[in-house]
Amino acid sequence: SEVAIQRAGLDDLPAIRELAQVIWHEHYPGIISREQIDYMLARMYDVATLRQDVTARGVRFEKLLLDGAMVGYAAFGPSEPLGVWKLHKLYLLPQHHGRGLGGRLLQHCEREACAAGATRLVLNVNRRNTKAIAAYTRNGFTVAETTVLDLGNGYVMDDFIMAKTLG
């Protein structure tokens, strides 16, 4: 299989939104409720919101292609303080887990952030998302803190903030 990672353009955002719908509905049941999945997807993956992330917040989207088909994506960009970048999203279709593809996408994001001057990469991960926590730990991330963020509608993000020093 041929693996490629390419920078996503604004015209790729609807396809990323569709892929997110599939991945979240396959991965998150048992971690968060279906109602929370739908609520978060509607808020975070509205194409106008994704476009705003790119155009106003400096978020970069990368797509992971397997034999030309998008099977995963990542989003990352500058954060605070200076030198810290945040990995906002990194998702891969569950049938492709365990093959090193997510790790390749993560390492690509780390290299790109480092090349742009980042010295630290941070991310949020649900505390019950044990598969993702294990994958980030394997890739050198450690838990820096815990956070609970109120999303409205009675939903919260109950997360670990994980971090890695780059360079």
Side-chain angles (χ1 to χ4, degrees), residues 53-72:
D53 287 344
V54 174
T55 59
R57 295 179 51 217
V59 175
R60 292 177 50 170
F61 280 83
E62 303 283 336
K63 49 190 182 176
L64 178 69
L65 306 172
L66 187 60
D67 295 327
M70 186 169 38
V71 298

Side-chain angles (χ1 to χ4, degrees), residues 1 64 66 69-72 92-102:
S1 295
L64 178 69
L66 187 60
M70 186 169 38
V71 298
L92 179 66
L93 285 168
Q95 63 263 38
H96 297 294
H97 288 185
R99 298 171 51 192
L101 296 172

Side-chain angles (χ1 to χ4, degrees), residues 47-133:
V47 173
T49 299
L50 296 175
R51 187 174 287 112
Q52 183 78 3
D53 287 344
V54 174
T55 59
R57 295 179 51 217
V59 175
R60 292 177 50 170
F61 280 83
E62 303 283 336
K63 49 190 182 176
L64 178 69
L65 306 172
L66 187 60
D67 295 327
M70 186 169 38
V71 298
Y73 61 92
F76 61 103
S79 187
E80 297 290 332
L82 191 65
V84 174
W85 276 45
K86 182 165 185 176
L87 181 68
H88 297 281
K89 304 168 184 0
L90 192 146
Y91 291 99
L92 179 66
L93 285 168
Q95 63 263 38
H96 297 294
H97 288 185
R99 298 171 51 192
L101 296 172
R104 281 176 70 171
L105 184 56
L106 178 59
Q107 289 158 16
H108 170 83
C109 294
E110 290 175 15
R111 283 192 305 274
E112 293 291 312
C114 199
T119 56
R120 184 172 170 87
L121 188 62
V122 299
L123 60 91
N124 285 45
V125 60
N126 186 291
R127 285 191 235 188
R128 296 178 61 199
N129 194 348
T130 54
K131 282 180 73 172
I133 294 165

Side-chain angles (χ1 to χ4, degrees), residues 106 110 123 125 129-143 160 162-164:
L106 178 59
E110 290 175 15
L123 60 91
V125 60
N129 194 348
T130 54
K131 282 180 73 172
I133 294 165
Y136 290 126
T137 301
R138 274 194 310 276
N139 281 278
F141 284 79
T142 57
V143 174
F160 287 130
M162 298 184 78
K164 179 179 182 176

